[in-house]
Amino acid sequence: MTSPRRAPGGFPVVGIIGGGQLARMCQPPAVNLSLTLSILSESADAAAALVVPSAPVGSHLDVDDVLAFAKECDVVTFDHEHVPPEVLQALVDTGVPVHPKPEALVFAQDKLAMRERLTELGVPCPAWAAVRGEAELTAFGDVHGWPVVLKTPRGGYDGKGVRLVGSGPDAADWFAHGEVLLAEERVPFTRELAVLTARSPSGQAAVWPIVQTVQTDGICTEVLAPAPGLDPALAAQASQAALTLAGELDITGVFAVEIFEIAGAPGTAPSYVVNELAMRPHNSGHWTMDGSVTSQFEQHLRAVLDLPLGAVSPRATWTVMGNVLGGDYDELYPTYKHLLARDPGLKVHLYGKGVRPGRKIGHVNVYGEDLDDLRARARHAADYLEGTVTA
């Protein structure tokens, strides 16, 4: 592999395993901090490889590829959570600092391990159980109610690896593979929230304002920062829980806790349960690129290098992020003239990914003082880029 070209002045090389959009969005703050990024990319035309000069092609599943890549890096982090445990261990054995550590990352890789550890720590979770067949699933559903949320412990994202089942036989095809599955009660939540934190190896931590995420067919399509009307006590509890998890699990880098808000009885405060964990820059934090003093991507680089963390205060009262999904067309650039002329305050972030219907290909941010107006502007821009509106 070709060695990355280091910036003059003794600045380090940050290696990122995975060439997706999260690695791509680390490049602008890396340039500003005079850091060198090197990306282990799955292909020469992956999203990050298009903008990062040092982007050797290799597989995160191949120990030799990963070790050869890490030799040229001062610290290694991740674009995704799918690096196998044996590859992670070989990486740690080289002595190159790895953030987050495999001992922490497992709780984002394995939902059963996550549920076990969160329960041990007293963090609110849905009722859950590991189920090995139809009989165990039926027993769980009969106690906690049907339908049941059934998940594969590893590999699911954006609604994949999750299904709602009304009986034990409904999951017969999944049990046919012999895998232990995670069964959870269906939570009657009022909305979905996300707590985004960052923590450095020396233990410094920061928490952005809690946001509301809006899901469409299992994909996050909108983020409202901060979450409108959030009970201050609930915000404090959830933020403290995220900080506790970061410390107890020894997480380093940016870390997202996805939670369900549950309405309280009349006259009582709402509560919450944790749904998922993610140990990397996260879709719920894309608003920070324009709406926060320090973006999640700059903060992640600071954290994995154990640099002092940046301020996480918002730039305006509200920021709205709208995810851009691909439509049935190939050319995106011609849409810019309309969008940028119509809304000079709009910030467009596209990922350099091939366009196909339903695929996340970018996002837009707008910030200001009128939440309804911001939501309408972000929705129009995302819809126009997708091709569902033409004016």
Side-chain angles (χ1 to χ4, degrees):
M1 292 185 178
T2 302
S3 298
R5 181 177 295 177
R6 293 174 178 265
F11 290 91
V13 174
V14 178
I16 303 180
I17 296 178
Q21 64 262 28
L22 301 181
R24 178 188 176 99
M25 287 184 278
C26 284
Q27 178 68 340
V31 169
N32 292 337
L33 292 168
S34 201
L35 305 173
T36 297
L37 286 192
S38 187
I39 309 296
L40 183 63
S41 180
E42 58 273 18
S43 66
D45 61 353
L50 298 176
V51 299
V52 178
S54 175
V57 174
S59 172
H60 66 277
L61 304 174
D62 189 294
V63 172
D64 292 336
D65 284 354
V66 171
L67 296 187
F69 169 74
K71 282 174 59 178
E72 306 297 337
C73 302
D74 296 296
V75 63
V76 173
T77 186
F78 308 96
D79 176 79
H80 56 71
E81 293 120 340
H82 306 309
V83 182
E86 61 274 15
V87 176
L88 290 171
Q89 188 56 55
L91 182 59
V92 168
D93 290 344
T94 67
V96 176
V98 177
H99 298 295
K101 300 174 184 176
E103 296 88 349
L105 192 60
V106 67
F107 299 111
Q109 293 177 319
D110 189 318
K111 294 180 177 64
L112 280 170
M114 173 194 68
R115 284 285 178 251
E116 290 172 359
R117 188 70 178 110
L118 266 59
T119 301
E120 290 173 359
L121 292 172
V123 175
C125 296
W128 66 275
V131 293
R132 296 163 182 81
E134 294 178 30
E136 291 185 356
L137 175 59
T138 298
F140 178 86
D142 288 347
V143 171
H144 296 287
W146 297 95
V148 168
V149 179
L150 196 62
K151 300 179 179 180
T152 56
R154 287 178 174 264
Y157 66 97
D158 283 350
K160 299 178 177 66
V162 180
R163 67 199 297 185
L164 204 61
V165 295
S167 68
D170 285 353
D173 56 331
W174 274 15
F175 286 122
H177 301 294
E179 183 179 14
V180 180
L181 301 175
L182 172 63
E184 295 181 348
E185 67 172 326
R186 189 184 190 187
V187 177
F189 62 89
T190 56
R191 59 177 172 173
E192 297 186 55
L193 306 172
V195 191
L196 192 71
T197 71
R199 181 175 179 271
S200 64
S202 60
Q204 185 187 8
V207 185
W208 281 271
I210 295 176
V211 302
Q212 178 179 341
T213 63
V214 179
Q215 314 292 320
T216 305
D217 297 327
I219 297 175
C220 177
T221 51
E222 185 183 42
V223 172
L224 312 179
L230 181 61
D231 180 79
L234 177 60
Q237 292 167 10
S239 296
Q240 184 56 55
L243 288 171
T244 298
L245 285 173
E248 290 289 341
L249 304 183
D250 196 17
I251 298 167
T252 45
V254 166
F255 165 54
V257 183
E258 299 177 51
I259 65 178
F260 293 142
E261 181 179 359
I262 303 169
T268 64
S271 60
Y272 75 95
V273 293
V274 171
N275 180 35
E276 300 280 1
L277 305 181
M279 296 183 196
R280 50 175 167 75
H282 191 253
N283 196 208
S284 66
H286 289 351
W287 71 273
T288 64
M289 295 176 74
D290 302 296
S292 172
V293 171
T294 307
S295 79
Q296 65 167 340
F297 300 101
E298 178 182 342
Q299 198 80 298
H300 188 67
L301 295 173
R302 289 185 182 216
V304 301
L305 289 168
D306 210 9
L307 293 170
L309 300 181
V312 293
S313 48
R315 295 183 182 276
T317 302
W318 303 104
T319 300
V320 175
M321 186 278 289
N323 266 327
V324 175
L325 304 181
D328 190 18
Y329 56 88
D330 294 319
E331 296 296 324
L332 283 170
Y333 184 69
T335 63
Y336 274 16
K337 186 173 183 180
H338 167 80
L339 287 178
L340 301 185
R342 184 181 189 273
D343 190 348
L346 180 72
K347 301 297 183 182
V348 181
H349 302 274
L350 296 181
Y351 306 152
K353 297 166 69 172
V355 177
R356 65 171 181 261
R359 185 187 196 189
K360 285 184 192 175
I361 58 171
H363 68 273
V364 297
N365 286 332
V366 286
Y367 57 89
E369 306 307 310
D370 185 330
L371 179 59
D372 290 338
D373 175 66
L374 296 173
R375 294 186 74 175
R377 288 162 58 194
R379 184 72 268 144
H380 172 271
D383 286 347
Y384 192 86
L385 284 162
E386 186 179 354
T388 54
V389 299
T390 57

